Amino acid sequence: MALLEVRDLAVTFGVGDSLTRAVDGISFAIEAGQSYGLVGESGCGKSTVLRAVSGLNPDWTGEILLDGQRLLPRRERAFYKLVQMVFQDPYGSLHPRHTVNAALMEPIIIHGLDDANGRIVRALDQVQLGPRFRFRYPHQLSGGQRQRVAIARALILEPKVLLLDEPTSALDVSIQAEVLNLLADIRRDNHLTFVLVSHDLAVVAHMCDRLGVMLKGRLVEELSVEQLQTGAVENAYTRHLLAASKGYDRRLAVRADDTDLAVRDDG
């Protein structure tokens, strides 16, 4: 049985003529310990999927199941001990007037957990910061260090699932690989299940076992990382993303209509 399953998920915004179908009936399932990537260009709906799964957006239809249990749109507190999210912007996710210690203490207090000191020390060690960062403020940290604190805050409740929304896209290229490798190590050591959103196929290939390609709110193809690496893809839009990820091509500068690409391949 899948640990996390999404069935016919749909999310819309607006009404009438301004109605936008941000997510249009997508389904996927993830086994415990797997890492699943959602990839596609900006605006395709991949982050909206994460917000629905995480409980941040309660306005959706379909089904979301965690360990076989159907989730309601508005979650109970116990859900957040099992599922945590790391956001894209490490500068906006930490309160500027709170120390690292205060940021890590907050979920411990909310959930009434014991051994606060031990949990904070272990979390900082897991993200390779250590105790010297415990009482620093966000402005005293680099972008990469801030994102490590955000990851530590997500880990402190010992969740089963981490939702990662472009976790390195706001960081300097020189430290992106360090954070991605850290996340890969954390997943292996803690047998975590990841759902990673990215527009970068190289990141997904490095981090994930399987991936789904999204286009205009729809899941147009699912494939393994091995299929991605060998180029064994079926959908024309997936081939377009794969070609674009290999470097700039003048022929890709003038893009074909995405919907037409998807429809032709879907038959």
Side-chain angles (χ1 to χ4, degrees), residues 97-145:
R97 295 186 180 180
H98 288 178
T99 63
V100 170
N101 184 75
L104 299 183
M105 185 67 74
E106 185 175 15
I108 295 173
I109 294 172
I110 289 172
H111 290 272
L113 302 179
D114 58 6
D115 189 24
N117 183 69
R119 287 177 181 273
I120 291 172
V121 170
R122 288 193 296 272
L124 288 174
D125 284 343
Q126 276 188 298
V127 298
Q128 300 173 7
L129 286 179
R132 70 186 186 278
F133 288 90
R134 184 170 176 175
F135 295 101
R136 294 187 185 181
Y137 288 88
H139 72 269
Q140 296 173 308
L141 306 175
S142 68
Q145 289 166 348

Side-chain angles (χ1 to χ4, degrees), residues 143-178:
Q145 289 166 348
R146 292 186 195 197
Q147 194 64 303
R148 287 171 188 260
V149 171
I151 295 167
R153 182 175 55 188
L155 293 174
I156 210 154
L157 296 177
E158 300 178 0
K160 291 184 177 181
V161 180
L162 274 190
L163 308 176
L164 305 166
D165 188 4
E166 301 268 15
T168 61
S169 64
L171 304 178
D172 292 341
V173 174
S174 59
I175 58 175
Q176 286 181 5
E178 293 179 10

Side-chain angles (χ1 to χ4, degrees), residues 210-227:
R210 295 169 48 240
L211 67 144
V213 179
M214 289 192 66
L215 171 66
K216 294 186 176 180
R218 296 171 54 207
L219 198 65
V220 297
E221 185 168 10
E222 279 193 301
L223 61 158
S224 68
V225 169
E226 289 76 15
Q227 288 174 297

Side-chain angles (χ1 to χ4, degrees), residues 39-41 44 213-215 220 235-242 255 258 261-262 265:
V39 66
E41 61 192 30
C44 71
V213 179
M214 289 192 66
L215 171 66
V220 297
N235 186 273
Y237 179 68
T238 306
R239 290 197 295 270
H240 170 82
L241 285 181
L242 186 59
R255 298 188 48 198
D258 290 342
L261 289 176
D265 263 67

Side-chain angles (χ1 to χ4, degrees), residues 78-95:
F79 167 81
Y80 297 100
K81 288 186 68 177
L82 300 175
V83 179
Q84 281 287 301
M85 187 163 172
V86 177
F87 297 91
Q88 177 178 0
D89 181 11
Y91 297 92
S93 63
L94 299 176
H95 195 294

